[in-house]
Short mmCIF file of all heavy atoms in Angstrom, two decimals:
data_model
loop_
_atom_site.label_atom_id
_atom_site.label_comp_id
_atom_site.label_asym_id
_atom_site.label_seq_id
_atom_site.Cartn_x
_atom_site.Cartn_y
_atom_site.Cartn_z
N SER A 947 3.56 1.91 -10.15
CA SER A 947 5.01 2.02 -10.14
C SER A 947 5.57 1.05 -9.10
O SER A 947 4.84 0.54 -8.25
CB SER A 947 5.46 3.45 -9.82
OG SER A 947 5.31 3.71 -8.43
N LYS A 948 6.88 0.82 -9.17
CA LYS A 948 7.55 -0.02 -8.17
C LYS A 948 8.03 0.81 -6.98
O LYS A 948 8.76 0.31 -6.13
CB LYS A 948 8.73 -0.75 -8.80
CG LYS A 948 8.32 -1.81 -9.81
CD LYS A 948 9.54 -2.54 -10.36
CE LYS A 948 9.14 -3.61 -11.37
NZ LYS A 948 10.33 -4.32 -11.91
N THR A 949 7.63 2.08 -6.97
CA THR A 949 8.07 2.98 -5.90
C THR A 949 6.84 3.59 -5.22
O THR A 949 6.54 4.77 -5.37
CB THR A 949 8.98 4.08 -6.46
OG1 THR A 949 8.35 4.66 -7.62
CG2 THR A 949 10.32 3.51 -6.88
N ALA A 950 6.14 2.75 -4.50
CA ALA A 950 4.94 3.20 -3.78
C ALA A 950 5.33 4.16 -2.66
O ALA A 950 6.50 4.30 -2.31
CB ALA A 950 4.21 1.99 -3.22
N GLY A 951 4.33 4.79 -2.09
CA GLY A 951 4.59 5.76 -1.03
C GLY A 951 5.32 5.17 0.15
O GLY A 951 6.13 5.83 0.80
N HIS A 952 5.04 3.91 0.44
CA HIS A 952 5.77 3.17 1.47
C HIS A 952 6.27 1.88 0.84
O HIS A 952 5.65 1.36 -0.08
CB HIS A 952 4.88 2.88 2.68
CG HIS A 952 4.49 4.10 3.45
ND1 HIS A 952 3.46 4.93 3.05
CD2 HIS A 952 4.99 4.65 4.58
CE1 HIS A 952 3.36 5.94 3.91
NE2 HIS A 952 4.28 5.80 4.85
N PRO A 953 7.39 1.34 1.31
CA PRO A 953 7.96 0.14 0.67
C PRO A 953 6.98 -1.03 0.69
O PRO A 953 6.35 -1.31 1.71
CB PRO A 953 9.19 -0.16 1.54
CG PRO A 953 9.54 1.14 2.18
CD PRO A 953 8.22 1.83 2.41
N GLU A 954 6.85 -1.70 -0.45
CA GLU A 954 5.91 -2.81 -0.59
C GLU A 954 6.65 -4.08 -0.96
O GLU A 954 7.26 -4.17 -2.04
CB GLU A 954 4.87 -2.49 -1.68
CG GLU A 954 4.02 -1.25 -1.40
CD GLU A 954 2.91 -1.48 -0.40
OE1 GLU A 954 2.75 -2.63 0.05
OE2 GLU A 954 2.20 -0.52 -0.06
N HIS A 955 6.58 -5.07 -0.08
CA HIS A 955 7.20 -6.36 -0.37
C HIS A 955 6.47 -7.04 -1.53
O HIS A 955 5.25 -7.01 -1.63
CB HIS A 955 7.11 -7.26 0.86
CG HIS A 955 7.57 -8.67 0.62
ND1 HIS A 955 8.89 -9.00 0.48
CD2 HIS A 955 6.86 -9.82 0.47
CE1 HIS A 955 8.99 -10.30 0.27
NE2 HIS A 955 7.78 -10.81 0.25
N GLY A 956 7.25 -7.64 -2.42
CA GLY A 956 6.66 -8.33 -3.56
C GLY A 956 6.45 -7.45 -4.76
O GLY A 956 6.09 -7.94 -5.84
N ILE A 957 6.65 -6.16 -4.60
CA ILE A 957 6.51 -5.22 -5.71
C ILE A 957 7.86 -4.66 -6.11
O ILE A 957 8.19 -4.59 -7.30
CB ILE A 957 5.55 -4.08 -5.33
CG1 ILE A 957 4.13 -4.62 -5.17
CG2 ILE A 957 5.57 -2.96 -6.38
CD1 ILE A 957 3.11 -3.60 -4.72
N THR A 958 8.65 -4.30 -5.13
CA THR A 958 9.96 -3.69 -5.38
C THR A 958 11.06 -4.68 -5.02
O THR A 958 11.14 -5.13 -3.87
CB THR A 958 10.12 -2.43 -4.52
OG1 THR A 958 8.94 -1.63 -4.62
CG2 THR A 958 11.33 -1.62 -4.98
N PRO A 959 11.93 -5.03 -5.98
CA PRO A 959 13.02 -5.96 -5.66
C PRO A 959 13.93 -5.37 -4.59
O PRO A 959 14.31 -4.20 -4.65
CB PRO A 959 13.76 -6.12 -7.00
CG PRO A 959 13.36 -4.94 -7.82
CD PRO A 959 11.97 -4.58 -7.39
N GLY A 960 14.25 -6.18 -3.59
CA GLY A 960 15.11 -5.72 -2.50
C GLY A 960 14.35 -5.26 -1.28
O GLY A 960 14.96 -5.05 -0.23
N VAL A 961 13.05 -5.08 -1.39
CA VAL A 961 12.24 -4.69 -0.23
C VAL A 961 11.84 -5.95 0.52
O VAL A 961 11.09 -6.78 0.01
CB VAL A 961 11.00 -3.88 -0.65
CG1 VAL A 961 10.07 -3.66 0.54
CG2 VAL A 961 11.42 -2.54 -1.24
N GLU A 962 12.34 -6.11 1.74
CA GLU A 962 12.15 -7.35 2.49
C GLU A 962 10.79 -7.44 3.17
O GLU A 962 10.28 -8.54 3.41
CB GLU A 962 13.24 -7.48 3.56
CG GLU A 962 14.67 -7.53 3.03
CD GLU A 962 15.03 -8.87 2.41
OE1 GLU A 962 14.16 -9.76 2.33
OE2 GLU A 962 16.20 -9.03 2.00
N THR A 963 10.20 -6.30 3.49
CA THR A 963 8.90 -6.31 4.15
C THR A 963 8.19 -5.00 3.89
O THR A 963 8.83 -3.96 3.69
CB THR A 963 9.04 -6.53 5.67
OG1 THR A 963 7.74 -6.52 6.28
CG2 THR A 963 9.90 -5.45 6.33
N THR A 964 6.87 -5.04 3.88
CA THR A 964 6.07 -3.83 3.71
C THR A 964 6.07 -3.06 5.02
O THR A 964 5.70 -3.61 6.07
CB THR A 964 4.64 -4.19 3.31
OG1 THR A 964 4.67 -4.88 2.05
CG2 THR A 964 3.78 -2.95 3.17
N THR A 965 6.48 -1.82 4.96
CA THR A 965 6.47 -0.98 6.17
C THR A 965 5.72 0.31 5.90
O THR A 965 5.64 0.78 4.79
CB THR A 965 7.90 -0.67 6.64
OG1 THR A 965 8.65 -0.13 5.55
CG2 THR A 965 8.60 -1.91 7.16
N GLY A 966 5.19 0.84 6.93
CA GLY A 966 4.36 2.04 6.87
C GLY A 966 3.74 2.24 8.23
O GLY A 966 3.99 3.25 8.90
N PRO A 967 2.95 1.25 8.71
CA PRO A 967 2.48 1.33 10.09
C PRO A 967 3.68 1.26 11.04
O PRO A 967 4.35 0.23 11.13
CB PRO A 967 1.59 0.09 10.23
CG PRO A 967 1.20 -0.27 8.83
CD PRO A 967 2.38 0.10 8.00
N LEU A 968 3.96 2.35 11.71
CA LEU A 968 5.21 2.45 12.47
C LEU A 968 5.28 1.41 13.59
O LEU A 968 4.29 1.08 14.22
CB LEU A 968 5.37 3.86 13.03
CG LEU A 968 5.55 4.95 11.98
CD1 LEU A 968 5.60 6.33 12.62
CD2 LEU A 968 6.79 4.71 11.14
N GLY A 969 6.49 0.93 13.82
CA GLY A 969 6.74 -0.05 14.86
C GLY A 969 6.72 -1.48 14.36
O GLY A 969 7.34 -2.35 14.95
N GLN A 970 6.01 -1.73 13.27
CA GLN A 970 5.95 -3.11 12.78
C GLN A 970 7.24 -3.53 12.09
O GLN A 970 7.60 -4.70 12.11
CB GLN A 970 4.75 -3.30 11.85
CG GLN A 970 3.44 -3.30 12.60
CD GLN A 970 2.30 -3.93 11.82
OE1 GLN A 970 2.38 -5.06 11.37
NE2 GLN A 970 1.25 -3.16 11.64
N GLY A 971 7.95 -2.58 11.48
CA GLY A 971 9.20 -2.93 10.81
C GLY A 971 10.24 -3.46 11.78
O GLY A 971 10.86 -4.49 11.53
N ILE A 972 10.43 -2.78 12.91
CA ILE A 972 11.40 -3.25 13.90
C ILE A 972 10.96 -4.61 14.43
O ILE A 972 11.79 -5.49 14.70
CB ILE A 972 11.58 -2.23 15.06
CG1 ILE A 972 12.48 -2.79 16.18
CG2 ILE A 972 10.27 -1.78 15.65
CD1 ILE A 972 13.88 -3.09 15.77
N THR A 973 9.65 -4.82 14.54
CA THR A 973 9.15 -6.11 15.03
C THR A 973 9.34 -7.20 13.99
O THR A 973 9.69 -8.34 14.32
CB THR A 973 7.68 -5.98 15.44
OG1 THR A 973 7.49 -4.77 16.19
CG2 THR A 973 7.25 -7.14 16.32
N ASN A 974 9.09 -6.88 12.72
CA ASN A 974 9.42 -7.82 11.64
C ASN A 974 10.90 -8.19 11.70
O ASN A 974 11.28 -9.35 11.52
CB ASN A 974 9.13 -7.22 10.27
CG ASN A 974 7.67 -6.96 9.97
OD1 ASN A 974 7.36 -6.21 9.05
ND2 ASN A 974 6.78 -7.55 10.73
N ALA A 975 11.74 -7.19 11.93
CA ALA A 975 13.19 -7.42 11.97
C ALA A 975 13.55 -8.40 13.08
O ALA A 975 14.45 -9.24 12.92
CB ALA A 975 13.93 -6.10 12.16
N VAL A 976 12.85 -8.32 14.20
CA VAL A 976 13.07 -9.29 15.28
C VAL A 976 12.74 -10.70 14.77
O VAL A 976 13.45 -11.67 15.05
CB VAL A 976 12.23 -8.93 16.52
CG1 VAL A 976 12.27 -10.06 17.55
CG2 VAL A 976 12.73 -7.63 17.14
N GLY A 977 11.66 -10.81 13.99
CA GLY A 977 11.31 -12.09 13.40
C GLY A 977 12.37 -12.60 12.43
O GLY A 977 12.71 -13.80 12.42
N PHE A 978 12.92 -11.70 11.60
CA PHE A 978 14.01 -12.07 10.70
C PHE A 978 15.19 -12.63 11.49
O PHE A 978 15.76 -13.67 11.16
CB PHE A 978 14.48 -10.85 9.91
CG PHE A 978 13.63 -10.49 8.72
CD1 PHE A 978 12.92 -9.30 8.69
CD2 PHE A 978 13.56 -11.32 7.61
CE1 PHE A 978 12.15 -8.94 7.60
CE2 PHE A 978 12.80 -10.97 6.51
CZ PHE A 978 12.08 -9.78 6.50
N ALA A 979 15.59 -11.88 12.52
CA ALA A 979 16.76 -12.27 13.30
C ALA A 979 16.53 -13.57 14.05
O ALA A 979 17.45 -14.39 14.19
CB ALA A 979 17.13 -11.15 14.27
N LEU A 980 15.30 -13.78 14.54
CA LEU A 980 14.99 -15.03 15.22
C LEU A 980 15.09 -16.20 14.25
O LEU A 980 15.67 -17.25 14.57
CB LEU A 980 13.59 -14.97 15.84
CG LEU A 980 13.11 -16.26 16.51
CD1 LEU A 980 13.98 -16.60 17.71
CD2 LEU A 980 11.64 -16.15 16.90
N ALA A 981 14.52 -16.03 13.06
CA ALA A 981 14.57 -17.10 12.06
C ALA A 981 16.01 -17.45 11.71
O ALA A 981 16.38 -18.64 11.60
CB ALA A 981 13.80 -16.69 10.81
#
């Protein structure tokens, strides 16, 4: 399905990054903002 237990980038349209391991999403977001 396109609705995995945790959001999966490249599978679900609109999901910007795969998150699940806590803390990495906020860190990815820092990378987005830096870019």
Side-chain angles (χ1 to χ4, degrees):
S947 76
K948 292 182 180 180
T949 49
H952 292 81
E954 300 282 357
H955 173 74
I957 293 177
T958 314
V961 171
E962 300 284 3
T963 180
T964 298
T965 52
L968 294 176
Q970 288 199 55
I972 174 63
T973 316
N974 294 163
V976 171
F978 280 114
L980 177 64

